[in-house]
């Protein structure tokens, strides 16, 4: 009995095979008529049959894989013949193709599939028949093979493609089967029976019992709806903003005191605030629900395509006496259904190729000093709107000499051409149609059909394939293609006031800090984790938000792994894991290596997604402590912080920022700064209060402090001096470029007074 | 109030024809004749100076709120924000221009279309005012300009810096503009 996942895959494969069968029918007919683009059509035919074979094998449908292989045996030897495809061959292939589809549909519908033996005989006769184009058979005569079982219409229901032909279409269908491929092929030789002759129960409009009705919706329409959901999320943000404004108005009224003449206004504002809160929550629920629905329509997890490959690898390795471990990284990412469907066949090809050509037998591997079991890894990652899939093995690597020989044997390139080629260009030959290093045909490879299919399929998705190989060490195929839709599980954490996302695929585990497990070295921190010592980094420091901090008892720590490296990462808070749509960053920050993209959280705020490979490669243990002067800028204005940072960095300062007094005090608790530049007019704790707090701490009581104010008032200057500020600047002074000079001046004065 | 047609007692056909010719001339004056001769701009202060951008490039002026800072980004990047379903960069105009500050903390973001198919948000002290400059004046200043900042002396002897946004937003130029 098939498990639910296999059932889903099988149903998907029926649709895919139906489309391929339709194309194969057209191609056979074109070849039978004598095509002027014979080679191209034959290539298409070869690819289609190979895909049917490979996909059937992947799903464990061995009888169908074998059947497709027999069809290849009949069709492909005729590739080099210049004559039209003999009618008896075309007929046999079309019939057996229909039986193949009927068999597949029956398996999917859990019915008894038609027997294949008669079709095998039919193919065997076609293969042994002279290919001298005998007179065409009467297309009106039924050509059932002896013992051929007619798949009943109930077993081969008309597909929506047939229904699209329209009510009045005078389409003809074959007697043997009623496959949509035959219905849609205008010149199918075995067509005979008029559509209107069929019983009402066979009407193309009627859907098979139990099959849900479906609409055809274009991707553009789904993407457009997703954009509308994004806009709705912005409306939700605006509601939140309105609620905050009302909150502020209520606070102002509070400051005026409880008075009878503002009681009614207060009541109205309270009520409106309550309503806005409820409306906002409902809007957030609706947005989340719509997004989930659209995701379910348009995406599916990558594992639905990758997991069946395990079976294929197992079967192939058993057949070839090899030992292979398949590892899949990133299977939980959800992607555009169309992209995944189109990737199914290329991935099958690459995996079969790796097992057949790439990985060695256990004995050979041992002889080369490798582990007996070969490693085959598939890694999937979505970065913004780009999808990267890597299929890598640790096997033979590409053998340039064998590629050259095979290419010359098949006439794909000459000796002279090879002398002008780089190694990488020679590697590219494996993607040419008809290329194979196998000298004999097996049921897995050798026909020269495979990697050109992969390249064509990926190029059809506007993507590209790259191959990297090291002799004796292995080969990596890297597929890069655009994927507008898709979502990934992300762990959202907090560092200071920043929320940041880390792809869940890289998060091995999380734990709390136990200070006895933290080892403080001269230049690095380490964490003892499960009897292992891992490098420990402060996420806030990695992101340039603060000086590195030793995690306190109970502080959350994530254990990350990426690119074979592991790292313990201390964060301020773990907010939770979410399924997020990662979108590309705008051009101005897209090239930053730290980020994979940005996603929108349920309330509408953006969260940056940090690349796990970037994090694990930020090993700062070897960095020497530099003599760079450090400044802490405290301002509730983002843009003011940006500008002060610009000026101070230009003056050689390393700048950290804080958006409020509380956060600044927290940063000062962990690190020393050479100067504090602080805005006066901040909410919660203003610049005067912060300066007082700084002066009351022994660690910071002599730190130079400069207050910055929008107003240049004597009273503010006086107040600043009283609380212990060393300097005072108005915004006008900053415009005039006096910040750096003032910073230098106060630092010098402090040093002078200390001396 | 309902407007009544003028009840002119015109004596002669000649007078009628004269008036008709004048009316025709007015009717024939293209609606955009004035607009063709001037460049409409959005004017705003940056520090002590006045800057302007062509009005046609201004898509919206939104409150400087809900901007997500981008750690490790260049200093002129304030952060990213969502605008009509897109994710935009919010940039500090003063920082790009090499300025050192402003008189008031910017409260507004100008969403502009520099002309290469994507929008960018620039901070601004206040909502800009519209103004128009004579086209010949702008053309002459553009011809002289060496950078993305085009210096103009507009009627009333006011000094204004007209920004060539496309040039200013070019990555090679961001951070390199040092306007005296």
């Amino acid at each position: 009995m098939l498990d639910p996942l296999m059932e889903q895959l099988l149903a998907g494969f029926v649709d895919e095979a139906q489309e391929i069968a339709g194309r194969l029918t057209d191609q056979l007919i074109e070849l039978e008529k004598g095509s002027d683009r014979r080679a191209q059509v034959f290539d298409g035919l070869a690819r289609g049959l190979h895909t049917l074979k490979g996909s059937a094998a992947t799903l464990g449908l061995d009888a169908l894989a074998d059947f497709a292989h027999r069809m290849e045996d009949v069709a492909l030897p005729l590739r080099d013949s210049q004559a039209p495809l003999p009618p008896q061959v075309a007929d046999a292939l079309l019939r057996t193709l229909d039986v193949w589809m009927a068999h597949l549909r029956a398996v999917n519908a859990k019915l008894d599939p038609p027997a294949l033996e008669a079709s095998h005989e039919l193919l065997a006769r076609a293969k042994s028949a002279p290919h001298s184009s005998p007179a065409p058979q009467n297309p009106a005569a039924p050509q059932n093979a002896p013992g051929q079982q007619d798949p009943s219409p109930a077993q081969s229901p008309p597909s929506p493609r047939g229904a699209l032909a329209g009510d009045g279409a005078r389409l003809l269908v074959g007697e043997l089967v009623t496959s949509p491929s035959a219905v849609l092929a205008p010149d199918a030789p075995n067509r005979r029976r008029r559509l209107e002759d069929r019983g009402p129960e066979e009407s193309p409009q009627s859907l098979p019992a139990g099959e849900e009705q479906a609409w055809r919706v274009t991707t553009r329409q789904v993407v457009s709806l997703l954009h509308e959901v994004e806009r709705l999320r912005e409306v939700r943000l605006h509601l939140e903003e309105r609620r905050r404004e009302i909150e502020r108005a209520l606070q102002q009224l509070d400051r005026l005191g409880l008075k009878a003449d503002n009681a009614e206004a207060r009541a109205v504002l309270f009520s409106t605030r309550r309503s806005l809160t409820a409306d906002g929550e409902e809007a957030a629920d609706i947005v989340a629900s719509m997004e989930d629905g659209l995701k379910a329509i348009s995406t599916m997890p990558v594992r639905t395509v990758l997991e069946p490959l395990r079976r294929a690898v197992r079967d192939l390795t058993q057949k070839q006496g090899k030992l292979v471990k398949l590892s899949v990284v990133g299977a939980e990412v959800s992607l555009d259904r169309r992209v995944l469907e189109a990737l199914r066949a290329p991935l099958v090809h690459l995996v079969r190729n790796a097992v057949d050509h790439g990985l060695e037998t256990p004995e050979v591997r041992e002889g080369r000093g490798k582990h007996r079991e070969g490693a085959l890894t598939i890694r999937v990652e979505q970065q913004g709107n780009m999808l990267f899939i890597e299929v890598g093995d640790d096997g033979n690597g590409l053998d340039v000499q064998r590629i050259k020989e095979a290419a010359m044997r098949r006439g794909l390139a000459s000796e002279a051409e090879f002398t002008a080629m780089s190694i990488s260009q020679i590697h590219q030959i494996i993607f040419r149609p008809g290329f194979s290093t196998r000298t004999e045909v097996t049921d897995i490879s050798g026909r020269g059909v495979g990697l050109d299919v992969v390249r064509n399929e990926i190029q059809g998705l506007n993507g590209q394939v790259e191959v990297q190989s090291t002799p004796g060490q292995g080969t990596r195929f890297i597929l890069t293609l655009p994927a507008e839709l898709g979502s990934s599980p992300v762990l959202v954490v907090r560092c200071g006031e920043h929320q940041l996302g880390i792809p869940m695929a890289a998060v091995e585990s999380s734990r709390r800090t136990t200070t006895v497990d933290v080892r403080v070295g001269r230049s690095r921190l380490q964490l003892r984790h499960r009897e292992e010592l891992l490098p420990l980094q402060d996420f806030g420091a990695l992101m340039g938000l603060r000086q590195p901090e030793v995690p306190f008892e109970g502080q959350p720590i994530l254990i990350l792994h990426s690119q074979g490296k592991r790292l313990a990462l201390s964060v301020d808070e773990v907010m939770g894991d979410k399924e997020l749509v990662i979108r590309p960053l705008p051009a101005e920050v897209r090239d930053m290596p730290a980020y994979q993209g940005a996603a929108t959280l349920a309330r509408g705020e953006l969260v940056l997604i940090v690349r796990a490979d970037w994090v694990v490669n930020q090993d700062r243990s070897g960095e020497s402590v530099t003599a760079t002067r450090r400044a802490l800028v405290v301002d509730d204005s983002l843009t003011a912080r940006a500008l002060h940072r610009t000026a101070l960095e230009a003056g050689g300062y390393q700048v950290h920022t804080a958006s409020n007094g509380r956060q600044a005090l927290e940063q000062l608790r962990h690190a020393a700064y050479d100067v504090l530049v602080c805005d006066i007019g901040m909410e919660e704790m203003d610049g005067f209060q912060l300066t007082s707090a700084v002066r009351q701490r022994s660690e910071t009581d002599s730190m130079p402090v400069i207050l910055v104010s929008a107003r240049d008032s004597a009273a503010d200057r006086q107040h600043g001096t009283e609380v212990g500020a060393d300097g005072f600047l108005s915004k006008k002074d900053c415009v005039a470029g006096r910040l750096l000079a003032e910073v230098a001046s106060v630092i010098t004065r402090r040093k002078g007074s200390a001396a | 109030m309902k407007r009544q047609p003028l009840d002119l007692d015109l004596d002669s056909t000649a007078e009628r024809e004269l008036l008709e010719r004048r009316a025709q001339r007015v009717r024939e004056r293209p609606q955009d004749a004035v607009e063709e001769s001037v460049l409409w701009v959005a004017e705003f202060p940056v520090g002590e100076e006045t800057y302007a951008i062509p009005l046609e490039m201004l898509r919206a002026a939104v409150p400087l709120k809900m901007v997500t800072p981008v750690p490790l980004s260049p200093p002129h990047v304030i952060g990213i924000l969502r605008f009509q379903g897109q994710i935009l960069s919010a940039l500090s105009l003063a920082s790009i221009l090499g300025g050192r500050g402003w008189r008031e903390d910017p409260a507004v973001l100008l969403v502009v279309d520099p002309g290469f198919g994507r929008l960018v948000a620039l901070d601004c002290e206040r909502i800009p005012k519209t103004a128009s400059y004579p086209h010949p004046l702008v053309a002459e200043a553009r011809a002289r300009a060496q950078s993305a900042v085009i210096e103009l002396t507009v009627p009333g002897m006011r000094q204004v810096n007209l920004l060539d946004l496309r040039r200013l937003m070019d990555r090679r130029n961001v951070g390199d503009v040092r306007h005296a």
Side-chain angles (χ1 to χ4, degrees):
Chain A
M1 188 174 160
L2 290 173
D3 63 36
L5 178 61
M6 286 301 280
E7 279 187 11
Q8 193 184 348
L9 291 166
L10 184 57
F13 178 50
V14 171
D15 291 340
E16 182 195 4
Q18 188 63 65
E19 288 193 18
I20 294 170
R23 285 200 299 273
L24 290 174
T25 302
D26 293 344
Q27 286 155 348
L28 286 168
I29 292 165
E30 187 173 347
L31 290 169
E32 185 187 27
K33 284 164 68 179
S35 172
D36 54 359
R37 46 186 201 105
R38 184 186 169 83
Q40 192 181 341
V41 177
F42 242 114
D43 283 346
L45 185 76
R47 281 196 293 271
L49 288 173
H50 198 71
T51 302
L52 287 183
K53 180 176 76 173
S55 299
T58 307
L59 289 168
L61 304 172
D62 293 339
L64 285 177
D66 173 60
F67 196 178
H69 187 70
R70 288 167 190 257
M71 290 161 79
E72 284 186 322
D73 275 342
V74 173
L76 301 194
L78 303 174
R79 185 203 293 260
D80 298 329
S81 166
Q82 294 307 308
L85 194 67
Q88 71 271 32
V89 174
D91 207 35
L93 287 169
L94 286 166
R95 284 163 185 283
T96 49
L97 183 61
D98 292 338
V99 173
W100 200 96
M101 279 307 304
H103 191 105
L104 177 64
R105 277 194 293 265
V107 172
N108 184 41
K110 299 187 179 71
L111 298 171
D112 287 337
L116 301 177
E117 289 74 17
S119 298
H120 291 174
E121 286 175 26
L122 186 63
L123 287 171
R125 281 204 302 277
K127 191 179 176 185
S128 58
H131 295 150
S132 54
S133 294
Q137 295 167 341
N138 177 4
Q143 294 292 321
N144 281 9
Q148 179 67 57
Q149 196 177 359
D150 276 10
S152 70
Q155 285 173 307
S156 51
S159 80
R161 280 186 75 178
L164 287 175
D167 288 344
R170 293 170 64 83
L171 294 176
L172 302 166
V173 294
E175 186 179 61
L176 185 67
V177 290
T178 55
S179 82
S181 58
V183 171
L184 292 171
D187 297 311
N190 58 349
R191 65 196 180 185
R192 213 180 301 70
R193 195 169 141 213
R194 291 186 183 283
L195 193 63
E196 61 265 37
D197 292 340
R198 300 165 75 190
E201 73 285 359
E202 296 174 66
S203 160
Q205 276 79 26
S206 65
L207 285 161
E211 191 172 311
E212 278 191 79
Q213 292 198 7
W215 288 333
R216 278 178 179 255
V217 182
T218 65
T219 313
R220 189 182 299 173
Q221 287 169 314
V222 176
V223 171
S224 165
L225 271 175
L226 279 168
H227 286 164
E228 291 305 311
V229 172
E230 274 292 300
R231 294 185 66 177
L232 192 56
R233 217 197 286 263
E234 276 175 40
V235 173
R236 157 81 184 90
L237 266 184
H238 295 162
L239 281 177
E240 178 64 19
E241 196 53 44
R242 298 290 96 77
R243 194 193 64 76
R244 284 182 196 157
E245 281 168 7
I246 290 174
E247 188 80 45
R248 279 194 287 274
L250 279 168
Q251 284 170 359
Q252 283 171 357
L253 282 175
D254 278 348
R255 282 198 282 273
L256 293 174
L258 289 171
K259 291 176 184 171
D261 52 0
N262 66 27
E264 192 178 342
R266 288 167 59 88
V268 169
L269 285 174
F270 267 121
S271 165
T272 310
R273 184 183 62 173
R274 200 165 41 242
S275 305
L276 272 174
T277 304
D279 290 348
E281 283 167 4
E282 191 176 353
D285 287 347
I286 293 169
V287 168
S289 166
M290 286 174 73
E291 196 168 60
D292 285 347
L294 283 166
K295 271 187 208 165
I297 290 169
S298 56
T299 66
M300 61 181 185
V302 176
R303 69 180 163 75
T304 54
V305 171
L306 297 187
E307 289 301 326
L309 294 173
R310 293 189 190 280
R311 169 72 184 275
V313 169
R314 177 187 165 275
D315 292 350
L316 279 174
T317 50
Q318 281 194 344
K319 198 175 281 186
Q320 299 196 340
K322 293 180 178 175
L323 289 173
V324 176
K325 182 182 180 186
L326 173 65
S327 308
V328 174
V329 180
E332 57 289 322
V333 171
S334 285
L335 287 175
D336 188 333
R337 281 173 180 272
R338 297 162 311 136
V339 173
L340 277 185
E341 289 296 342
L343 279 173
R344 200 185 295 271
L347 287 173
V348 168
H349 285 313
L350 288 177
V351 165
R352 289 168 70 90
N353 216 58
V355 174
D356 191 30
H357 293 279
L359 292 159
E360 313 94 326
T361 58
E363 296 73 32
V364 173
R365 291 181 64 83
E366 269 188 336
R368 291 178 177 172
K370 295 181 180 177
H371 194 283
R372 282 173 63 81
E373 191 178 46
L376 176 57
T377 306
I378 303 176
R379 197 185 304 277
V380 181
E381 186 180 326
Q382 191 174 19
Q383 295 172 20
N385 57 351
M386 294 304 290
L387 175 67
F388 298 90
I389 300 177
E390 183 185 305
V391 180
D393 67 67
D394 68 345
N396 289 313
L398 295 178
D399 184 333
V400 170
Q401 189 54 37
R402 282 189 69 200
I403 293 173
K404 281 182 180 176
E405 288 165 7
M408 286 194 286
R409 197 167 53 241
R410 291 173 185 253
L412 297 172
S414 66
E415 182 88 55
E417 286 174 296
F418 276 121
T419 53
M421 283 185 187
S422 64
I423 297 290
S424 141
Q425 285 170 322
I426 295 171
H427 287 169
Q428 291 301 313
I429 287 180
I430 64 174
F431 293 110
R432 293 201 188 169
F435 177 83
S436 175
T437 52
R438 280 265 184 272
T439 48
E440 78 258 21
V441 174
T442 70
D443 60 343
I444 301 166
S445 59
R447 295 188 188 282
V449 178
L451 289 175
D452 64 316
V453 180
V454 172
R455 190 176 62 177
N456 289 343
E457 294 277 0
I458 301 303
Q459 285 178 343
L461 294 165
N462 295 320
Q464 58 185 30
V465 188
E466 187 189 341
V467 60
Q468 296 172 354
S469 181
T470 309
Q473 291 185 22
T475 307
R476 291 197 307 161
F477 288 92
I478 300 157
L479 319 182
T480 309
L481 56 156
E484 192 163 0
L485 303 173
S487 59
S488 308
V490 169
L491 187 68
V492 180
V493 300
R494 183 178 64 77
C495 275
E497 59 176 349
H498 297 262
Q499 286 187 44
L500 296 158
I502 299 171
M504 277 295 281
V507 182
E508 186 181 294
S509 61
S510 66
R511 55 169 285 179
R512 296 274 173 187
T513 302
T514 43
T515 44
V516 290
D517 287 332
V518 177
R519 294 191 173 188
V520 184
R522 290 178 70 182
S523 61
R524 67 192 302 183
L525 292 178
Q526 287 181 309
L527 178 78
R528 177 184 289 279
H529 178 70
R530 293 178 189 160
E531 305 310 314
E532 255 189 288
L533 272 180
L534 299 177
L536 172 62
Q537 299 270 13
D538 172 22
F539 198 22
L542 277 188
M543 300 310 295
L545 302 171
R546 60 190 179 209
Q547 288 297 103
E549 295 175 4
V550 178
F552 54 83
E553 182 75 23
Q555 186 173 342
I557 288 182
L558 306 178
I559 309 299
L560 301 186
H561 65 93
S562 181
Q563 295 183 336
K565 294 183 181 175
R566 295 171 79 216
L567 174 83
L569 191 71
S570 59
V571 300
D572 292 356
E573 187 183 354
V574 175
M575 317 285 286
D577 62 312
K578 300 174 193 306
E579 187 75 23
L580 298 176
V581 177
I582 302 176
R583 301 172 64 195
L585 289 174
E588 291 73 19
V589 285
R590 192 169 297 163
D591 294 338
M592 293 181 66
Y595 302 111
Q596 187 172 329
T600 314
L601 297 179
R603 288 178 57 193
E605 64 270 43
L606 286 170
V607 62
L608 289 156
I609 312 298
V610 179
R611 293 182 59 90
D613 56 347
W614 178 83
V615 174
V616 298
N617 284 307
Q618 299 303 298
D619 183 5
R620 297 187 162 183
S621 57
E623 280 183 12
S624 58
V625 180
T626 59
T628 308
R629 290 169 297 176
R630 287 193 290 267
L632 179 62
V633 171
V634 191
D635 203 308
D636 57 0
S637 161
L638 252 178
T639 192
R641 295 201 296 270
L643 208 57
H644 290 329
R645 190 183 141 203
T646 307
L648 290 167
E649 283 185 355
Y653 287 83
Q654 183 187 6
V655 181
H656 291 142
T657 61
S659 62
N660 57 57
R662 181 187 47 75
Q663 197 193 356
L665 288 173
E666 185 62 21
Q667 288 189 227
L668 289 168
R669 194 168 63 82
H670 295 284
Y673 290 90
D674 296 284
V675 65
L676 173 71
V677 179
C678 175
D679 183 35
I680 290 179
M682 296 186 293
E683 288 181 7
E684 287 182 42
M685 178 185 282
D686 64 25
F688 300 127
Q689 291 167 315
L690 176 61
T691 307
S692 294
V694 165
R695 290 290 172 251
Q696 282 164 20
R697 289 183 172 187
S698 57
E699 318 87 68
T700 54
D701 60 356
S702 60
M703 182 175 66
V705 175
I706 295 173
L707 291 174
V708 179
S709 171
R711 295 176 303 167
D712 189 4
S713 78
D716 279 352
R717 283 177 184 270
Q718 178 62 31
H719 193 180
T721 307
E722 285 167 7
V723 295
D726 300 88
F728 186 97
L729 287 173
S730 66
K731 300 271 173 176
K732 201 173 173 181
D733 295 327
C734 291
V735 173
R738 295 198 187 115
L739 177 63
L740 263 182
E742 184 67 9
V743 165
S745 168
V746 297
I747 289 175
T748 308
R749 287 206 303 271
R750 272 283 169 186
K751 277 183 182 165
S753 61
Chain B
M1 186 178 74
K2 193 175 177 184
R3 295 176 68 184
Q4 299 293 325
L6 286 174
D7 186 16
L8 299 175
D9 183 18
L10 298 174
D11 295 335
S12 67
T13 308
E15 283 174 327
R16 281 182 181 279
E17 284 176 353
L18 175 66
L19 286 173
E20 184 54 39
R21 279 203 301 279
R22 285 180 181 171
Q24 184 63 28
R25 275 206 300 277
V26 171
R27 279 197 295 269
E28 282 177 357
R29 173 173 288 181
Q31 189 63 36
D32 56 355
V34 173
E35 292 173 10
E36 273 182 7
S37 63
V38 296
L39 174 72
W40 287 97
V41 296
E43 253 185 25
F44 51 90
V46 176
E48 298 296 319
E49 299 182 60
T50 302
Y51 284 79
I53 57 171
L55 201 55
E56 64 183 14
M57 289 185 168
L58 181 63
R59 291 285 173 275
V62 297
L64 202 165
K65 288 175 182 169
M66 298 302 289
V67 174
T68 303
V70 180
L72 303 172
S73 61
H76 67 273
V77 177
I78 297 171
I80 54 173
L81 74 152
R82 291 149 43 86
F83 176 76
Q84 295 181 351
Q86 296 181 55
I87 301 179
L88 311 185
S89 296
L91 306 179
S92 163
L93 190 54
S95 179
I96 292 173
L97 293 169
R100 302 172 187 100
W102 48 83
R103 291 174 301 184
E104 299 169 32
D105 284 339
V108 179
L109 280 174
L110 303 181
V111 180
V112 298
D113 179 358
F116 32 65
R118 58 187 168 81
L119 303 177
V120 176
L122 300 170
D123 65 354
C124 185
E125 289 177 35
R126 60 181 84 132
I127 293 174
K129 294 174 183 169
T130 54
S132 63
Y133 309 148
H135 251 312
L137 186 69
V138 174
E140 188 190 339
R142 273 185 177 147
R144 280 199 318 267
Q146 302 279 316
S147 73
V149 181
I150 302 160
E151 294 178 5
L152 285 173
T153 305
V154 296
M157 295 304 286
R158 285 191 308 124
Q159 293 295 314
V160 176
N161 299 302
L162 179 65
L163 295 175
D164 179 343
L165 283 180
R166 196 183 172 90
R167 204 165 165 182
L168 189 70
M169 292 296 116
D170 188 319
R171 285 192 211 185
R172 290 164 298 186
N173 294 337
V174 168
D176 292 340
V177 178
R178 289 291 179 266
H179 177 57

